[in-house]
Amino acid sequence: LPTGVLGTTQSTSGTDEGATRMLTQLKYQFDVVSEVSDLKQYDLLILPDALPVAGELLKKIRAYIQQGGAVLATGRSGLDGEARDVVLPELGIQPVGISPFTTTYIRFGKAVSTGVPASDHVMYETGVRVVAGKGAEVLAGIVEPYFERSWEHFCSHNQTPGDKLSPYPAAVQKGRCAYIAFPIFRAYAAHGNYPYRLLVANILQRLLPEPLLCVAAPTSTEATVMKQGKRTIVHLLHYCPERRATGMDLIEDVVPLQNVPVSLKLARAPKQVYLAPERQALTFSHSDGRVDVTVPEVRGHAMVVFE
């Protein structure tokens, strides 16, 4: 099933853009939902960056968690307005206020270190100081700088170097709920720092180990699952825009991808898998509720039909 992302505003924000970019690059299928949406159809719910959670929405989310749904909250989502109290106790944290530092560093723990370079990674957005509650697992830590840059204290680099590990974690998980102490989606939209995507990816892997679709392709590849009657169709799109004019991204060259592995979650084995519209049959296997197939070439676009 897809992921539900609760929207923050009626208009596009940095959070909306960052969440869309990140989940698209990670090939997760997702819907943008609201407080009136039926949450039961989703395996995972994301509360991004600064979502107010109160009233009926709070009741709805807590009922969703009690029924086995997974939640990832980031930044001030699930907290009160001052980030001094938690309104969603299932997150397993106790906030103690906004960090006094504009820039800090994320130190990935072993549990979320897949694909992460062995280094502390800078976070350019101010986070929340939280304490992990009873039964919560700390997934990543925060390294705070020697000082906050100001007219009194200055470092010639873009940010002050890290000093020591803070007692306040960067990411926490309790059961099927996880929390990241930064507005990580807005940060990703503004800075494009790929360790932010790695942190979200590794936490989502813990919360949703069997996603609807897995595609081993570059992050520039877009993958979409659609239904048409009894058919399930996977669209793969790979074009690389380039900034070749002021304020304009252009696509001129098609860069083909070869032998792209695709794994789709299907309870029953399909009778056939083929490329459309040419109806080229593809060899596939089905086990443990997943269909695995290799797409021989994606030349801009490929349409894989499972039926």
Side-chain angles (χ1 to χ4, degrees):
L1 292 175
T3 300
V5 182
L6 273 169
T8 54
T9 62
Q10 293 296 320
S11 60
T12 301
S13 68
T15 291
D16 300 329
E17 183 175 348
T20 299
R21 287 185 187 180
M22 191 181 293
L23 294 175
T24 299
Q25 291 167 12
L26 292 173
K27 317 297 188 293
Y28 278 96
Q29 306 302 295
F30 65 94
D31 295 330
V32 178
V33 299
S34 71
E35 63 275 5
V36 298
S37 302
D38 179 13
L39 303 182
K40 295 178 183 178
Q41 61 181 311
Y42 300 103
D43 288 338
L44 173 71
L45 187 64
I46 296 176
L47 315 179
D49 293 356
L51 182 75
V53 179
E56 289 302 316
L57 178 59
L58 175 60
K59 293 179 183 178
K60 201 168 187 177
I61 294 174
R62 296 196 72 183
Y64 168 83
I65 295 171
Q66 291 170 4
Q67 293 164 4
V71 169
L72 170 61
T74 68
R76 301 191 190 197
S77 296
L79 312 182
D80 69 358
E82 301 298 320
R84 289 282 178 181
D85 200 5
V86 61
V87 297
L88 200 60
E90 289 84 354
L91 296 178
I93 57 168
Q94 178 57 52
V96 294
I98 302 299
S99 171
F101 298 106
T102 304
T103 301
T104 55
Y105 299 82
I106 300 173
R107 181 171 293 177
F108 286 69
K110 185 177 181 180
V112 291
S113 63
T114 302
V116 181
S119 173
D120 294 337
H121 297 276
V122 64
M123 167 52 71
Y124 289 112
E125 299 291 331
T126 302
V128 179
R129 281 180 163 179
V130 301
V131 176
K134 184 178 179 180
E137 178 184 0
V138 174
L139 303 178
I142 294 175
V143 176
E144 294 179 336
Y146 284 96
F147 50 79
E148 174 75 356
R149 282 164 57 101
S150 68
W151 66 272
E152 295 177 292
H153 305 284
F154 180 74
C155 176
S156 61
H157 296 82
N158 224 14
Q159 65 273 341
T160 306
D163 179 16
K164 57 186 177 181
L165 190 65
S166 166
Y168 307 107
V172 171
Q173 180 180 352
K174 183 176 181 180
R176 302 222 351 115
C177 294
Y179 172 79
I180 297 174
F182 300 102
I184 201 159
F185 297 110
R186 188 181 74 214
Y188 191 64
H191 309 288
N193 195 4
Y194 81 97
Y196 305 166
R197 187 181 68 229
L198 291 175
L199 179 60
V200 172
N202 288 330
I203 291 176
L204 290 182
Q205 178 61 33
R206 292 171 62 89
L207 296 175
L208 191 64
E210 289 292 338
L212 178 61
L213 182 69
C214 296
V215 180
T219 55
S220 50
T221 307
E222 297 184 17
T224 307
V225 180
M226 304 185 73
K227 293 285 290 185
Q228 185 186 60
K230 295 183 179 181
R231 299 188 184 102
T232 301
I233 304 168
V234 174
H235 288 274
L236 302 176
L237 192 67
H238 184 257
Y239 289 102
C240 294
E242 184 179 356
R243 182 59 57 96
R244 292 189 175 184
T246 302
M248 185 181 296
D249 296 328
L250 300 175
I251 297 173
E252 181 173 328
D253 302 312
V254 176
V255 181
L257 303 177
Q258 307 292 332
N259 299 319
V260 178
V262 173
S263 178
L264 178 67
K265 187 177 181 181
L266 280 180
R268 296 182 179 180
K271 294 181 180 179
Q272 59 180 336
V273 179
Y274 59 88
L275 293 174
E278 58 268 39
R279 296 192 70 88
Q280 176 186 341
L282 299 177
T283 302
F284 67 93
S285 63
H286 181 271
S287 63
D288 298 325
R290 302 197 71 90
V291 181
D292 294 293
V293 63
T294 297
V295 180
E297 183 178 65
V298 178
R299 186 172 289 274
H301 173 253
M303 190 188 314
V304 189
V305 181
F306 301 75
E307 69 175 11

